[in-house]
Structures are given as structure tokens and as C-alpha cells.
């Protein structure tokens, strides 16, 4: 399989051609702009260069755990001002999807308070729990999880308090009502927090439910098929091939960019190492270009326009 090229290996002319090949840059956040709360060196300078050269800069993330105000503050710290419509995340995408379907009904949600708050603010009625430990008795457990609530959609995202009763309750709703939607926010099976620290992601729970009920989830985080239309429409990407997606994950970012028809640039500052990039056997996950971090854009721009 052919491999992408490091952007600093491009010649002066190739650097200019690359920078002229896209009008919009859509950036992932965690692992690209910052690691948890610490900004990645050079991210601020790269954003300024992209915007200053006339590129439209937008953002996409699988992280709905933090509220928009947190993203705005971190981007402001990088010298970049954003509106809510400049960041796509799973909770907002789910709201958009449900509104497009004219969805009405009760939603059972596994997610954080911030995630659920986005759905509630959009006017949807949510049910969650159980949160209290249950007696180890099948009769009492079934009586708790099989509550007969008229749920018409089960939504699964990051839930730091996920437990067996919650998953059993989700299973009951999905099995009782054949038309009950199973919707996934972030489908990540592993969440990269920082070097040496990875956690089980919600994708593992989504997969468990899919197998239990024999139904595929509607995935509205990267690399979900239904997310493609949302991104293209919200960011008005009439020419997908002139969009560059910059991300740090193969399965989420590079595969999603392939699905959308975007150009793909992988940065090695987050959840993917160079060795993992080279070992990947999936053409969908293959990057067109890669960089150590966004900081490489500073040198790239300097090379491309050194004679101007």
C-alpha cells in the first residue's frame, strides 16, 4: 500500500501546490490542537497561517463531554474566535438528525450531563439511569430495568457512569419496540487521553447493544455515514475534494475523510504513532499527507512562499 508523504518532505513547488489544493480546513480538536487541556505547540501559529492565507477553518470532534463554552475558551487561548456553528460534535449532530426526521418521543440516553444538556436544550425529553446499585436478584433487577417506558430512541455516547443495568435497560427498550432507534454519538472503542493513557470508549457498548438486539446503530460521530451529509451541509462544502481534514486518528478521522471525499492529513501529536500509521492495512485509513504536529505548517508555509 502506498503511504502518505510528510508535508516537510514536499518540495517548494509541491508545498505551494498542496496549500493551493484546499479552500477549507476541517480540524479535529483533541490530539490536534491540544492534549486534554494543554495546547499543542505550534497549533496557534498554524491556525493563524491557515486563516491568514484565506482558508476557511472549521472544527469537528467526537468529544461532546465538554460544553461549547470550553471549546470557545480553549480556541480563544489559541487566538481563534468561534461561533457554535463552527464546531461539529456528536450531541449537536444528533439534534440535527432527529430534527430532520421530525422525531417525537422519549429518548433513553447514556451520556454525560453536558451531552444530555444539548439534547434537552433542543427540546427533547430524556430518560436515564438507573444509577443506584441494585440488589443481586434477577427479580429486582428485571423489575428495575424493564420499566415499560415508551422510549423511541436509545442514544449512546461517553458515559463515565455506565453500568450493567443501564445497558440492560437500553436492550429492553430496543427489543420491545422494533422501530426504536439506536443512535451512537462517539463510536470510539478506545479514547486516547494522553500518551500511555487510553480508556474504553462508548463504541464497545454500542457494539454490545448492536449484537444483543440485531440492529446497526445510526452513528453520528466520526466516521459515521450519516455524519457525512451533516458536515457537508453545515459547512457548505460543495467541492469536497477542496477540503482538507486534519486529524490524529486513523479509524475516526482518516476513514471519515475518505467517506466524505476530503483530502486527508494525519498529525502524529495525538492518538496515532508513525508505526501504527505504517502498519495500517485499510485504504480508507491511509493519509494523503502526515505531519509530526500542526507546528510543521509554520515551516511548510515558509518554504512555499520563501521567494515571495
Amino acid at each position: 500500500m502506498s503511504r502518505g508523504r510528510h508535508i516537510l518532505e514536499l518540495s517548494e513547488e509541491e508545498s505551494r501546490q498542496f496549500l493551493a489544493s484546499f479552500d477549507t480546513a476541517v480540524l479535529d480538536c483533541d490530539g490536534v490542537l491540544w492534549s486534554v487541556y494543554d495546547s499543542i505547540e505550534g497549533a496557534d501559529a498554524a491556525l493563524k497561517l491557515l486563516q491568514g492565507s484565506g482558508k476557511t477553518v472549521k472544527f469537528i470532534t467526537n468529544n461532546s463531554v465538554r460544553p461549547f463554552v470550553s471549546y470557545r475558551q480553549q480556541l480563544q487561548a489559541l487566538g481563534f474566535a468561534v461561533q457554535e456553528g463552527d464546531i461539529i460534535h456528536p450531541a449537536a449532530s444528533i439534534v440535527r438528525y432527529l430534527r430532520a426526521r421530525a422525531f417525537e418521543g422519549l429518548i433513553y440516553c447514556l451520556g454525560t450531563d453536558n451531552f444530555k444538556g444539548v439534547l434537552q436544550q433542543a427540546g427533547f425529553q430524556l430518560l436515564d439511569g438507573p444509577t443506584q446499585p441494585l440488589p443481586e436478584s434477577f427479580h429486582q433487577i428485571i423489575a428495575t430495568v424493564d420499566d415499560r417506558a415508551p422510549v423511541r430512541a436509545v442514544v449512546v455516547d461517553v458515559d463515565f457512569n455506565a453500568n450493567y443495568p443501564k445497558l440492560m435497560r437500553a436492550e429492553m427498550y430496543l427489543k420491545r419496540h422494533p422501530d426504536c432507534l439506536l443512535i451512537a454519538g462517539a463510536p470510539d472503542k478506545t479514547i486516547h487521553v494522553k500518551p500511555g493513557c487510553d480508556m474504553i470508549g462508548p463504541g464497545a457498548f454500542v457494539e454490545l447493544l448492536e449484537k444483543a438486539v440485531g440492529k446497526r446503530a445510526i452513528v453520528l460521530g466520526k466516521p459515521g455515514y450519516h455524519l457525512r451529509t451533516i458536515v457537508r451541509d453545515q459547512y457548505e462544502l460543495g467541492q469536497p475534494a477542496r477540503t482538507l481534514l486534519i486529524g490524529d486518528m486513523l479509524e475516526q478521522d482518516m476513514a471519515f475523510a475518505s467517506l466524505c471525499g476530503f483530502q486527508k492529513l494525519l498529525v502524529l501529536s495525538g492518538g496515532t504513532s508513525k508505526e501504527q500509521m505504517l502498519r495500517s492495512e485499510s485504504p480508507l485509513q491511509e493519509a494523503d499527507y502526515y505531519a509530526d504536529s500542526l507546528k510543521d505548517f509554520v515551516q511548510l508555509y515558509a518554504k512555499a512562499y520563501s521567494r515571495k
Side-chain angles (χ1 to χ4, degrees):
M1 184 187 301
S2 62
R3 302 294 179 185
R5 297 179 66 186
H6 196 294
I7 59 174
L8 296 186
E9 293 177 355
L10 301 175
S11 68
E12 181 180 319
E13 180 58 28
E14 288 173 329
S15 298
R16 280 195 292 270
Q17 290 175 355
F18 166 59
L19 290 171
S21 71
F22 63 94
D23 306 309
T24 301
V26 178
L27 290 86
D28 181 37
C29 297
D30 297 286
V32 177
L33 301 173
W34 50 70
S35 177
V36 188
Y37 291 102
D38 297 324
S39 297
I40 291 173
E41 184 182 2
D44 53 349
L47 289 174
K48 290 174 184 176
L49 284 168
L50 287 167
Q51 191 175 50
S53 62
K55 309 299 182 186
T56 298
V57 179
K58 301 291 185 179
F59 305 93
I60 186 167
T61 176
N62 272 5
N63 185 354
S64 299
V65 172
R66 60 177 59 178
F68 168 72
V69 65
S70 175
Y71 282 104
R72 182 171 57 193
Q73 289 171 348
Q74 283 199 263
L75 284 164
Q76 283 178 338
L78 294 173
F80 201 94
V82 292
Q83 304 296 321
E84 283 201 57
D86 296 327
I87 302 175
I88 290 175
H89 57 80
S93 297
I94 290 171
V95 167
R96 185 166 180 146
Y97 176 81
L98 292 174
R99 283 176 171 168
R101 289 183 62 118
F103 176 86
E104 294 182 358
L106 187 61
I107 298 173
Y108 178 65
C109 186
L110 277 75
T112 61
D113 288 341
N114 285 324
F115 181 94
K116 289 181 283 191
V118 174
L119 273 65
Q120 289 168 329
Q121 288 167 17
F124 294 106
Q125 185 180 0
L126 266 57
L127 178 70
D128 58 15
T131 57
Q132 297 300 318
L134 300 179
E136 295 180 355
S137 161
F138 271 112
H139 291 294
Q140 291 175 288
I141 289 173
I142 295 300
T144 299
V145 301
D146 191 12
D147 66 351
R148 306 282 170 166
V151 167
R152 290 296 178 266
V154 170
V155 174
V156 182
D157 193 73
V158 176
D159 184 347
F160 295 119
N161 294 292
N163 57 35
Y164 191 29
K166 285 185 179 181
L167 293 170
M168 291 175 67
R169 179 173 280 184
E171 178 189 9
M172 294 290 185
Y173 294 142
L174 290 163
K175 284 182 173 178
R176 181 170 300 109
H177 303 292
D179 61 340
C180 183
L181 302 174
L182 173 57
I183 298 175
D188 310 48
K189 294 179 182 177
T190 301
I191 298 175
H192 177 75
V193 180
K194 59 183 179 180
C197 181
D198 293 330
M199 302 188 305
I200 296 172
F205 302 131
V206 173
E207 189 175 86
L208 185 154
L209 288 171
E210 287 179 325
K211 290 180 178 179
V213 303
K215 177 183 294 189
R216 294 295 299 274
I218 298 162
V219 179
L220 291 165
K222 298 172 294 179
Y225 175 81
H226 292 85
L227 182 62
R228 176 182 64 171
T229 301
I230 292 174
V231 173
R232 285 183 175 181
D233 289 349
Q234 183 167 326
Y235 289 161
E236 300 179 344
L237 304 176
Q239 294 181 283
R242 292 197 60 79
T243 297
L244 177 70
L245 190 142
I246 304 174
D248 69 311
M249 301 296 289
L250 297 174
E251 183 177 355
Q252 288 79 27
D253 299 315
M254 298 301 101
F256 182 65
S258 295
L259 183 66
C260 294
F262 298 158
Q263 296 186 59
K264 301 172 285 182
L265 189 149
L266 179 75
V267 291
L268 305 178
S269 53
T272 302
S273 66
K274 185 175 182 179
E275 291 72 23
Q276 290 171 320
M277 178 188 73
L278 295 174
R279 286 200 307 266
S280 175
E281 297 294 331
S282 171
L284 290 177
Q285 297 179 13
E286 180 185 352
D288 299 315
Y289 304 93
Y290 73 98
D292 293 332
S293 71
L294 284 182
K295 185 179 180 181
D296 288 341
F297 269 89
V298 176
Q299 190 172 336
L300 178 73
Y301 268 91
K303 179 192 289 187
Y305 302 114
S306 59
R307 296 181 184 178
K308 294 189 177 182

